[in-house]
Amino acid sequence: MRPILDVHERPSLARGLPLSLQHLLAMFGATVLVPFLLKVDPSTALLMNGIGTLLYLALCRGKIPAYLGSSFAFIAPVAAIANFPAAQGGFIAFGLFFLLVAAVVRVFGTRWLEIALPPAAMAPVVAIIGLELLPVAAGMAGLTGTPDPALHRAILVTSLGTLAATVLGAAFFRGFFAAIPIVCGVFCGYGLAAAQGLVDLSKVIEAPWLRLPAFSAPIFDLTAILMIAPAALVVLAEHVGHLVVTGEIVGKDLVKDPGLGRSLFADGLSNVLSGAVGATPNTTYGENIGVMAMTRVYSVWVIGGAAVLAILVAFCGKLAALIQSIPVAVMGGVCLVLFGVIAVAGVRLAVERKVDYGDPRNLTLTATVFALGLSGAAVHLGGVEIKGMALAALVGVTLSLVFALRRGRTATTL
């Protein structure tokens, strides 16, 4: 289906502002939650998310529409370290690791990726990116229950009303409104929430108009760096998966042009900068990928606009408080659609690549990746838990390499 705005197309300011706001709303809750859990200033994270995204877009030559938000992979090891400046040193080391991998990819190319993650492995990995997030969205939407029946009713009305407005908007809106169903859904949900007393504007009134993010210097501690190191593998698998699914959505081979190496380099450099000033590590965001898939707006100018808005919010207390006043139930209703769309992108990948499930190797590979990715199975490396999409990707790579080696030996024997 033809995009409303392709990757290189630049919208007018009047159209671009609501489109960028849509991306900001999609990523805001998750990207602010990470620094909140780690007890650091969310404004610093927002600022470096915005700067990191603009840097990423520039270094990738404006060819990859990706937003960099706060990564959840580092929460457990940072909590175990209990010293955020020491963790910052680990974040910088993580960024340098990405720069090293980027250099390896630039030298040796990406042919290995086609062998390590063939469509039979990559399709379920992409689907799992959305599927493992759906329970989170269901919890936000109140679909998994709450102890207060009266509150539960209000949450369900809000979340399901938001879901209905978003779905109907995506299906029936025409013209410009067809590109902003999420903004329309959020506004509708906010109105429903306000009518039921779920909106609290007191913090908006109390918040200052201008505030400066808090910065801190890193400490380089070998123990902290080693504790954080396993999380780098999780984010690496996530990065590759997100790049592939983004390419499938926009209809371009982003792994080849501008290239996985350039994408990893840009992500790594943004993380070095984040670690240097006291922000949380960045990663490409599934929420924003879902927005693109749903709206067919792929413009890097829109993503850049969202990054600029994030920087403005980082310095404006009232804007941050206003966005934070959006009830969780509203974002839960929106995320049900966004994460579902990402899951469908995995199915679409398998269909378009014509994966032959008559071949027992393809069938076994996809089945095993789904089983380990969705069963709750987990592997612990130090303070890092590898499960879900990350575990699925690692298992998919391992099995794909085993099958490739087996095919090579069989061919040699014959």
Side-chain angles (χ1 to χ4, degrees):
M1 188 177 291
R2 187 180 183 281
I4 292 176
L5 280 174
D6 210 343
V7 175
H8 62 279
E9 292 182 305
R10 182 176 182 176
S12 65
L13 180 62
R15 296 184 70 196
L17 186 59
L19 291 172
S20 295
L21 177 63
Q22 190 163 235
H23 277 279
L24 179 71
L25 293 174
M27 56 66 89
F28 191 87
T31 209
V32 168
L33 178 60
V34 175
F36 176 79
L37 293 174
L38 298 179
K39 297 180 174 58
V40 295
D41 188 0
S43 295
T44 311
L46 274 174
L47 174 64
M48 297 313 295
N49 289 164
I51 292 174
T53 299
L54 292 175
L55 180 66
Y56 181 91
L57 296 177
L59 291 177
C60 291
R61 300 175 177 174
K63 294 183 177 182
I64 305 178
Y67 192 93
L68 303 186
S70 302
S71 174
F72 281 76
F74 296 88
I75 293 176
V78 172
I81 294 168
N83 182 344
F84 194 75
Q88 287 177 239
F91 301 159
I92 293 174
F94 153 63
L96 293 174
F97 167 72
F98 261 38
L99 297 183
L100 176 62
V101 176
V104 172
V105 170
R106 295 291 289 272
V107 172
F108 296 101
T110 57
R111 178 72 180 92
W112 59 271
L113 186 60
E114 297 173 12
I115 299 172
L117 277 176
M122 182 55 74
V125 168
V126 170
I128 288 169
I129 293 174
L131 292 174
E132 70 173 334
L133 289 171
L134 280 173
V136 177
M140 294 166 62
L143 297 176
T144 55
T146 181
D148 186 337
L151 182 61
H152 191 195
R153 191 179 306 111
I155 290 173
L156 283 179
V157 169
T158 300
S159 63
L160 295 180
T162 303
L163 174 64
T166 305
V167 170
L168 292 175
F172 298 111
F173 282 168
R174 294 292 180 268
F176 176 64
F177 285 100
I180 56 169
I182 295 165
V183 169
C184 296
V186 168
F187 273 105
C188 179
Y190 197 89
L192 286 172
Q196 297 174 94
L198 296 180
V199 176
D200 180 10
L201 295 177
S202 61
K203 291 184 179 179
V204 180
I205 296 170
E206 296 168 1
W209 279 104
L210 181 66
R211 66 176 179 185
L212 296 176
F215 300 108
S216 62
I219 296 174
F220 293 95
D221 178 82
L222 182 59
T223 302
I225 290 173
L226 292 175
M227 290 179 67
I228 285 176
L233 299 176
V234 176
V235 182
L236 178 60
E238 183 178 57
H239 184 102
V240 174
H242 283 176
L243 187 62
V244 170
V245 72
T246 301
E248 289 293 323
I249 289 169
V250 304
K252 304 177 190 299
D253 190 348
L254 301 178
V255 172
K256 292 184 178 179
D257 183 25
L260 176 60
R262 187 174 288 273
S263 178
L264 287 169
F265 181 87
D267 196 345
L269 186 56
S270 75
N271 278 293
V272 170
L273 296 177
S274 292
V277 301
T280 50
N282 299 330
T283 186
T284 48
Y285 250 34
E287 287 88 339
N288 298 91
I289 295 172
V291 171
M292 289 189 294
M294 184 174 178
T295 62
R296 293 183 291 121
V297 173
Y298 312 142
S299 172
V300 293
W301 293 95
V302 170
I303 299 291
V308 172
L309 289 177
I311 294 171
L312 292 175
V313 171
F315 288 101
C316 181
K318 286 196 181 294
L319 279 177
L322 180 61
I323 296 176
Q324 286 178 304
S325 72
I326 299 175
V328 172
V330 174
M331 297 314 300
V334 168
C335 286
L336 282 170
V337 184
L338 294 183
F339 298 154
V341 168
I342 296 173
V344 171
V347 179
R348 173 183 167 185
L349 191 156
V351 172
E352 291 184 348
R353 298 292 181 89
K354 299 180 180 179
V355 178
D356 178 13
Y357 285 115
D359 185 334
R361 286 169 297 192
N362 288 338
L363 182 63
T364 303
L365 183 54
T366 298
T368 304
V369 170
F370 267 129
L372 292 179
L374 296 175
S375 64
V379 175
H380 293 84
L381 294 176
V384 177
E385 183 180 65
I386 301 178
K387 64 179 183 179
M389 188 275 293
L391 180 60
L394 292 174
V395 170
V397 167
T398 303
L399 284 178
S400 297
L401 291 175
V402 170
F403 291 165
L405 287 172
R406 177 62 181 168
R407 278 196 299 269
R409 289 177 181 175
T410 303
T412 301
T413 301
L414 293 173

